[in-house]
Amino acid sequence: MRASRLVSLVLLLQNRGRMTAAELASALEVSERTIYRDTEALSGAGIPLYADRGAGGGYRLLDGYRTRLTGLTAGEADALLLAGLPDAAAQLGLGAEMAAADLKLLAALPEELRERAERVRSRFHLDAPGWWRATEETPHLSAIAAAVWDQHTIDAAYRRWDGAEVRRRLDPLGVVLKGGTWYFLARPHPDEGRPAPSGPLRPRTFRVSRVCGLQVRDDVFERPADFDLAASWAQWSREFEESRHRLRTRVRLTRRALELMPALSSPITAAGAEGLEPGPDGWCEAELLVESVAVATSEFAAYGPEIEVLEPVELRSALAGCLRAAAALYSR
């Protein structure tokens, strides 16, 4: 651990120039006393490290000195794939590795490219979660990620959407960050007490924040040779969205409703109105897929008088009741 810190200290001075003990301690997350000991050790090992005293002083390397200790460790190489997502890397337990890989990468670049890389980093920032959404608590994320890397089976206590807690033995195959929410895809083991299925079980998707207990087993599983994380996630996402939009409706829309639809409705719902133009009376008719009567009632209420539900009758009645109640409330 100390050897890695010493290399990071040298790389910091190589990339940034003169730095004070306080600045080095902050960057390496150690005390200033530790920095004093580390700089003495580096000087004793022959690293041309100098300390300038007084105002504006600090530690620096001899002009022109460049270390060749820039080879990446396995963890640092993994972290490079998350270089644009520092928060995600930290949640996965790769924050320190990413910082070290970043230093080594910059140190390996010629000065012109290093300055360009620094300029890009200072002018581009990715904030993955959507607006008004707090980051979910995912205390088991790093353990799940480690099980994915090492192909270890896990025993998970999982809270379903209805609040019931179930226990599952799973082979975790990959993790996915979607709009600030972490998921993992895993192959379930057959439930005890039930007959085993005739074929291999299909990987399922789990939300990391709903894992309320986790034990990583010593068992090592064989990863399916034909498993493709990106393709499996795309297929599951498509099936999930389609499964949630089963209610077919017939509605009338104004031009204003057509303009509002991309913002107020899901892409699957909005797809039913693409390319439509209002007639001479200012209205057009469309068939829209929605999740349910309850969801469509609150969704369509946001359109106010710009939409009229024709079918199904139960949705028309529910929306009319919602709007009457709102009108009554504000007519007092």
Side-chain angles (χ1 to χ4, degrees), residues 143-164:
I144 293 172
V148 171
W149 310 144
D150 301 329
Q151 298 179 207
H152 280 293
T153 298
I154 60 174
D155 287 331
Y158 189 76
R159 188 180 68 257
R160 299 192 314 189
W161 62 271
D162 59 0

Side-chain angles (χ1 to χ4, degrees), residues 9 15 34 68 140 150 172 181 200 244 256 297 301 306 324:
L9 192 156
N15 291 330
T34 298
R68 298 180 181 271
H140 301 291
D150 301 329
T181 300
R244 297 284 295 271
R256 178 57 178 160
T297 298
E306 309 299 331
R324 279 196 299 268

Side-chain angles (χ1 to χ4, degrees), residues 105-301:
L105 182 61
L106 288 174
L109 293 174
E111 184 175 356
E112 180 181 351
L113 292 181
R114 185 164 65 249
E115 291 177 356
R116 182 180 180 88
E118 291 283 9
R119 187 163 63 250
V120 170
R121 182 165 55 182
S122 69
R123 301 182 186 185
F124 175 77
H125 174 69
L126 176 63
D127 186 7
W131 288 106
W132 303 289
R133 288 187 58 185
T135 303
E136 291 185 329
E137 294 294 327
T138 53
H140 301 291
L141 175 60
S142 59
I144 293 172
V148 171
W149 310 144
D150 301 329
Q151 298 179 207
H152 280 293
T153 298
I154 60 174
D155 287 331
Y158 189 76
R159 188 180 68 257
R160 299 192 314 189
W161 62 271
D162 59 0
E165 184 176 311
V166 296
R167 296 191 174 274
R168 293 285 185 265
R169 181 159 295 176
L170 306 166
D171 295 335
L173 302 174
V175 291
V176 174
L177 178 60
K178 170 72 169 179
T181 300
W182 285 100
Y183 299 86
F184 69 101
L185 278 67
R187 180 177 57 191
H189 287 217
D191 291 337
E192 296 182 2
R194 296 184 180 180
S198 56
L201 288 173
R202 180 183 176 185
R204 295 176 56 190
T205 301
F206 301 86
R207 191 162 175 163
V208 176
S209 62
R210 291 183 178 172
V211 175
C212 40
L214 185 77
Q215 179 183 357
V216 179
R217 299 173 58 87
D218 294 331
D219 311 2
V220 177
F221 64 87
E222 189 71 24
R223 188 178 178 85
D226 59 348
F227 177 74
D228 184 309
L229 177 60
S232 296
W233 174 259
Q235 179 181 354
W236 179 84
S237 299
R238 184 171 57 253
E239 293 175 353
F240 173 74
E241 289 180 341
E242 291 175 351
S243 69
R244 297 284 295 271
H245 293 73
R246 293 293 181 88
L247 180 63
R248 188 175 297 276
T249 68
R250 189 164 63 91
V251 302
R252 294 174 70 231
L253 303 163
T254 65
R255 183 177 298 278
R256 178 57 178 160
L258 293 173
E259 295 171 350
L260 291 172
M261 188 151 288
L264 298 182
S265 296
S266 72
I268 292 180
T269 299
E274 288 181 359
L276 296 180
E277 284 292 332
D281 61 350
W283 294 80
C284 61
E285 191 171 306
E287 288 191 354
L288 306 179
L289 289 173
V290 297
E291 291 188 34
S292 63
V293 170
V295 172
T297 298
S298 59
E299 183 177 311
F300 289 167

